[in-house]
Amino acid sequence: KELLNARVSKPFQWEEAHRTTDLLLVLIDILMGENVQAYSRIIEGGKEELVDMPYTLALTKLRKGLALLNMEMKDFERAKACFDETLELLNQIHVKRIKAECYMGLILYYRSNVIEAKRHAQIGLRETNKVQDFWMSALLLTALTKVLAENSHFEEAIDTAKQALSYYERSEDSYGQMVCSFWLAYCFSKVDDQQNASENYLHFWNLCVNDYPFFIEKKTLFGPQHLILFVQLAKQLQHDVPVVGQLKIQDAPSTELSLTLFGPIQIRRDYNVIQEKEWKRMKAKELFLYLYIHREQFVSRQQICEAIWQQDEEAMQRDFKVVFNAMLKTLEPARSAREESYFITRRQHLYKLEDRWIQSDVAHFTYYAQRGMEEKTAKLSNEWLKLAMRLVDGQFCSDFEREWIGSI
């Protein structure tokens, strides 16, 4: 990456516009979890305007699609459009090069559709097998491993990861070996094969901590959707102390939360939507939403009373503890009653929600919007603002009418 950065730092010349050093850097950024930097390179590079250079344009579209897959989005239709445009351009100029990488992107796009992911993997592997491109075959298999594992197809994921690992060993790619070892450890743990899980985990950890620590710290192309999975697996294999130390945290909850607040409210624990009946009491859900929206500060019981109990002090005194515990139980069903919640910090009658392990469309909207407003380059500013607006697909908490929400 340092060598490529030195090359692209030279002044731009149009006669070298066909060169793709910056686009190779985009791929490295994506694999390293430098997602904002990857997307910025694409936009600033200006190669989407090179309509007279179809191969360079196709490669630009492809890498833009991969960058979008790593961004925090509600849907990945823009990424899919990039892959479709890439294939169309390559077909027009009768070039098969980079087609397999495009199919790799489509495998990851179909993250919730195993059948489609496997179909695109088969198409991509036909391309790589023709030319005996073992490294690209390994990338396709790694993408499929991730999809299989995250959809609980553990046995199939193990077979796929083993095949990918053999190709990475042949290619002497230690990064790919680390990724496969992680997914093998995860899948073996899910099928209760603790010996193989531990062996693969040690191989993964030694490579990760020494050479690729970013893999557990950032969202990468082949890493899990939820980073909490690294902590969960480490705890299960009794290896959590070094992981917690690497992440510079004291501990972590048993689950990661994902919130959709534009439009109808949806709250997920890891991959599963929390159903209404799980909250036991409706005010438990309302309390969580109130704390999340005011997550930047401590709020007092009095503030909570005024908002949720409409200043009915007697009702709040009677119900607060039950509602509060119902909220905690819903957020972390595996937490014992005597354990302190990792999501809530308490100071006497003050409460604050810790959002280290909470993702939300509102937070991502705020991030992209702020980048857009602060960005001095008009083209890049517009791109960040477009990403922000794609997250807004409805009124804020549209199915949850409360006076305190209406005032936000």
Short mmCIF file of all heavy atoms in Angstrom, two decimals, residues 258-284:
data_model
loop_
_atom_site.label_atom_id
_atom_site.label_comp_id
_atom_site.label_asym_id
_atom_site.label_seq_id
_atom_site.Cartn_x
_atom_site.Cartn_y
_atom_site.Cartn_z
N SER A 258 -28.94 -3.39 16.12
CA SER A 258 -29.07 -2.59 14.89
C SER A 258 -30.46 -1.97 14.86
O SER A 258 -31.46 -2.69 15.01
CB SER A 258 -28.86 -3.46 13.65
OG SER A 258 -27.60 -4.08 13.68
N LEU A 259 -30.52 -0.66 14.68
CA LEU A 259 -31.80 0.07 14.73
C LEU A 259 -32.13 0.69 13.38
O LEU A 259 -31.27 1.28 12.74
CB LEU A 259 -31.74 1.20 15.77
CG LEU A 259 -31.91 0.87 17.25
CD1 LEU A 259 -30.87 -0.12 17.73
CD2 LEU A 259 -31.83 2.14 18.07
N THR A 260 -33.37 0.53 12.97
CA THR A 260 -33.93 1.29 11.85
C THR A 260 -34.97 2.23 12.45
O THR A 260 -35.96 1.78 13.03
CB THR A 260 -34.60 0.37 10.81
OG1 THR A 260 -33.62 -0.54 10.30
CG2 THR A 260 -35.19 1.17 9.67
N LEU A 261 -34.72 3.54 12.32
CA LEU A 261 -35.62 4.53 12.94
C LEU A 261 -36.30 5.43 11.92
O LEU A 261 -37.29 6.08 12.25
CB LEU A 261 -34.84 5.38 13.95
CG LEU A 261 -34.22 4.61 15.12
CD1 LEU A 261 -33.45 5.55 16.04
CD2 LEU A 261 -35.28 3.86 15.91
N PHE A 262 -35.80 5.47 10.70
CA PHE A 262 -36.52 6.16 9.63
C PHE A 262 -37.56 5.20 9.08
O PHE A 262 -37.23 4.09 8.65
CB PHE A 262 -35.58 6.62 8.52
CG PHE A 262 -34.70 7.78 8.89
CD1 PHE A 262 -33.33 7.68 8.87
CD2 PHE A 262 -35.27 8.99 9.28
CE1 PHE A 262 -32.52 8.76 9.21
CE2 PHE A 262 -34.47 10.07 9.63
CZ PHE A 262 -33.10 9.95 9.60
N GLY A 263 -38.83 5.61 9.12
CA GLY A 263 -39.91 4.70 8.75
C GLY A 263 -40.32 3.90 9.98
O GLY A 263 -40.05 4.29 11.12
N PRO A 264 -40.95 2.73 9.78
CA PRO A 264 -41.34 1.89 10.92
C PRO A 264 -40.10 1.44 11.70
O PRO A 264 -39.08 1.09 11.11
CB PRO A 264 -42.04 0.69 10.26
CG PRO A 264 -42.46 1.19 8.91
CD PRO A 264 -41.42 2.18 8.49
N ILE A 265 -40.21 1.43 13.02
CA ILE A 265 -39.07 1.07 13.88
C ILE A 265 -38.80 -0.43 13.77
O ILE A 265 -39.70 -1.26 13.80
CB ILE A 265 -39.38 1.42 15.34
CG1 ILE A 265 -39.52 2.93 15.51
CG2 ILE A 265 -38.27 0.91 16.27
CD1 ILE A 265 -40.07 3.35 16.85
N GLN A 266 -37.50 -0.75 13.62
CA GLN A 266 -37.07 -2.15 13.65
C GLN A 266 -35.79 -2.23 14.46
O GLN A 266 -34.84 -1.49 14.22
CB GLN A 266 -36.82 -2.67 12.23
CG GLN A 266 -36.56 -4.16 12.18
CD GLN A 266 -36.37 -4.66 10.75
OE1 GLN A 266 -35.27 -4.57 10.20
NE2 GLN A 266 -37.43 -5.19 10.16
N ILE A 267 -35.77 -3.12 15.43
CA ILE A 267 -34.60 -3.28 16.30
C ILE A 267 -34.15 -4.74 16.20
O ILE A 267 -34.95 -5.66 16.37
CB ILE A 267 -34.93 -2.92 17.76
CG1 ILE A 267 -35.45 -1.48 17.84
CG2 ILE A 267 -33.69 -3.08 18.65
CD1 ILE A 267 -36.01 -1.09 19.20
N ARG A 268 -32.88 -4.94 15.90
CA ARG A 268 -32.33 -6.29 15.74
C ARG A 268 -31.29 -6.59 16.80
O ARG A 268 -30.50 -5.72 17.16
CB ARG A 268 -31.67 -6.45 14.36
CG ARG A 268 -32.63 -6.47 13.18
CD ARG A 268 -31.85 -6.54 11.87
NE ARG A 268 -32.73 -6.68 10.72
CZ ARG A 268 -33.11 -7.83 10.19
NH1 ARG A 268 -32.65 -8.96 10.71
NH2 ARG A 268 -33.91 -7.88 9.16
N ARG A 269 -31.30 -7.81 17.27
CA ARG A 269 -30.19 -8.36 18.04
C ARG A 269 -29.39 -9.23 17.08
O ARG A 269 -29.89 -10.24 16.60
CB ARG A 269 -30.68 -9.24 19.21
CG ARG A 269 -31.08 -8.51 20.46
CD ARG A 269 -31.33 -9.52 21.58
NE ARG A 269 -32.20 -10.60 21.16
CZ ARG A 269 -33.51 -10.68 21.43
NH1 ARG A 269 -34.08 -9.72 22.14
NH2 ARG A 269 -34.22 -11.69 21.01
N ASP A 270 -28.17 -8.83 16.78
CA ASP A 270 -27.37 -9.52 15.77
C ASP A 270 -28.20 -9.64 14.48
O ASP A 270 -28.54 -8.66 13.88
CB ASP A 270 -26.88 -10.87 16.28
CG ASP A 270 -25.89 -10.71 17.44
OD1 ASP A 270 -25.25 -9.64 17.53
OD2 ASP A 270 -25.75 -11.64 18.25
N TYR A 271 -28.57 -10.85 14.08
CA TYR A 271 -29.27 -11.03 12.80
C TYR A 271 -30.79 -11.14 12.95
O TYR A 271 -31.51 -11.27 11.97
CB TYR A 271 -28.75 -12.29 12.10
CG TYR A 271 -27.27 -12.27 11.81
CD1 TYR A 271 -26.38 -12.95 12.63
CD2 TYR A 271 -26.75 -11.55 10.74
CE1 TYR A 271 -25.01 -12.92 12.39
CE2 TYR A 271 -25.38 -11.52 10.49
CZ TYR A 271 -24.53 -12.21 11.32
OH TYR A 271 -23.18 -12.17 11.08
N ASN A 272 -31.30 -11.08 14.19
CA ASN A 272 -32.72 -11.35 14.42
C ASN A 272 -33.49 -10.11 14.87
O ASN A 272 -33.05 -9.38 15.77
CB ASN A 272 -32.87 -12.45 15.48
CG ASN A 272 -32.13 -13.72 15.10
OD1 ASN A 272 -32.30 -14.22 13.99
ND2 ASN A 272 -31.30 -14.23 15.99
N VAL A 273 -34.66 -9.90 14.25
CA VAL A 273 -35.53 -8.78 14.62
C VAL A 273 -36.18 -9.07 15.97
O VAL A 273 -36.69 -10.17 16.20
CB VAL A 273 -36.62 -8.56 13.55
CG1 VAL A 273 -37.58 -7.45 13.98
CG2 VAL A 273 -36.00 -8.21 12.21
N ILE A 274 -36.15 -8.08 16.88
CA ILE A 274 -36.84 -8.22 18.17
C ILE A 274 -38.34 -8.01 17.94
O ILE A 274 -38.76 -6.96 17.46
CB ILE A 274 -36.31 -7.18 19.18
CG1 ILE A 274 -34.83 -7.41 19.46
CG2 ILE A 274 -37.11 -7.27 20.50
CD1 ILE A 274 -34.21 -6.39 20.40
N GLN A 275 -39.13 -9.01 18.26
CA GLN A 275 -40.57 -8.93 18.06
C GLN A 275 -41.22 -8.13 19.20
O GLN A 275 -40.69 -8.05 20.31
CB GLN A 275 -41.18 -10.34 18.00
CG GLN A 275 -40.57 -11.21 16.90
CD GLN A 275 -40.79 -10.66 15.51
OE1 GLN A 275 -41.83 -10.05 15.22
NE2 GLN A 275 -39.82 -10.86 14.62
N GLU A 276 -42.37 -7.54 18.91
CA GLU A 276 -43.06 -6.68 19.89
C GLU A 276 -43.32 -7.40 21.21
O GLU A 276 -43.14 -6.83 22.29
CB GLU A 276 -44.38 -6.17 19.30
CG GLU A 276 -44.23 -5.16 18.17
CD GLU A 276 -43.56 -3.87 18.63
OE1 GLU A 276 -43.92 -3.36 19.71
OE2 GLU A 276 -42.66 -3.39 17.93
N LYS A 277 -43.71 -8.67 21.14
CA LYS A 277 -44.07 -9.40 22.36
C LYS A 277 -42.86 -9.63 23.27
O LYS A 277 -43.02 -9.89 24.47
CB LYS A 277 -44.73 -10.73 22.01
CG LYS A 277 -43.84 -11.69 21.23
CD LYS A 277 -44.60 -12.96 20.86
CE LYS A 277 -43.71 -13.91 20.08
NZ LYS A 277 -44.43 -15.15 19.69
N GLU A 278 -41.65 -9.56 22.71
CA GLU A 278 -40.45 -9.79 23.51
C GLU A 278 -40.21 -8.68 24.53
O GLU A 278 -39.51 -8.90 25.52
CB GLU A 278 -39.23 -9.94 22.61
CG GLU A 278 -39.23 -11.19 21.74
CD GLU A 278 -37.98 -11.30 20.90
OE1 GLU A 278 -36.90 -11.51 21.47
OE2 GLU A 278 -38.07 -11.15 19.66
N TRP A 279 -40.76 -7.49 24.27
CA TRP A 279 -40.54 -6.37 25.18
C TRP A 279 -41.34 -6.52 26.48
O TRP A 279 -41.09 -5.83 27.45
CB TRP A 279 -40.91 -5.05 24.50
CG TRP A 279 -39.99 -4.68 23.38
CD1 TRP A 279 -40.20 -4.87 22.04
CD2 TRP A 279 -38.70 -4.06 23.50
NE1 TRP A 279 -39.13 -4.42 21.32
CE2 TRP A 279 -38.19 -3.91 22.19
CE3 TRP A 279 -37.93 -3.61 24.58
CZ2 TRP A 279 -36.95 -3.33 21.94
CZ3 TRP A 279 -36.69 -3.05 24.33
CH2 TRP A 279 -36.21 -2.90 23.02
N LYS A 280 -42.32 -7.41 26.48
CA LYS A 280 -43.19 -7.65 27.65
C LYS A 280 -44.05 -6.42 27.97
O LYS A 280 -45.27 -6.53 28.10
CB LYS A 280 -42.37 -8.03 28.89
CG LYS A 280 -41.46 -9.24 28.70
CD LYS A 280 -42.24 -10.49 28.35
CE LYS A 280 -41.29 -11.68 28.20
NZ LYS A 280 -41.99 -12.89 27.75
N ARG A 281 -43.41 -5.28 28.12
CA ARG A 281 -44.16 -4.04 28.37
C ARG A 281 -43.77 -3.02 27.30
O ARG A 281 -42.59 -2.84 27.01
CB ARG A 281 -43.81 -3.48 29.76
CG ARG A 281 -44.38 -4.32 30.90
CD ARG A 281 -43.85 -3.85 32.24
NE ARG A 281 -44.53 -4.56 33.33
CZ ARG A 281 -45.40 -3.98 34.15
NH1 ARG A 281 -45.72 -2.72 34.01
NH2 ARG A 281 -45.96 -4.69 35.12
N MET A 282 -44.77 -2.32 26.77
CA MET A 282 -44.52 -1.37 25.69
C MET A 282 -43.62 -0.24 26.14
O MET A 282 -42.81 0.29 25.36
CB MET A 282 -45.87 -0.80 25.18
CG MET A 282 -45.79 -0.27 23.77
SD MET A 282 -45.30 -1.58 22.62
CE MET A 282 -44.16 -0.70 21.59
N LYS A 283 -43.72 0.12 27.40
CA LYS A 283 -42.88 1.20 27.91
C LYS A 283 -41.40 0.81 27.95
O LYS A 283 -40.52 1.67 27.96
CB LYS A 283 -43.36 1.67 29.29
CG LYS A 283 -44.50 2.70 29.23
CD LYS A 283 -44.80 3.27 30.58
CE LYS A 283 -45.67 4.52 30.51
NZ LYS A 283 -46.83 4.43 29.62
N ALA A 284 -41.11 -0.47 27.95
CA ALA A 284 -39.71 -0.92 27.92
C ALA A 284 -39.06 -0.53 26.60
O ALA A 284 -37.93 -0.04 26.56
CB ALA A 284 -39.64 -2.43 28.12
#
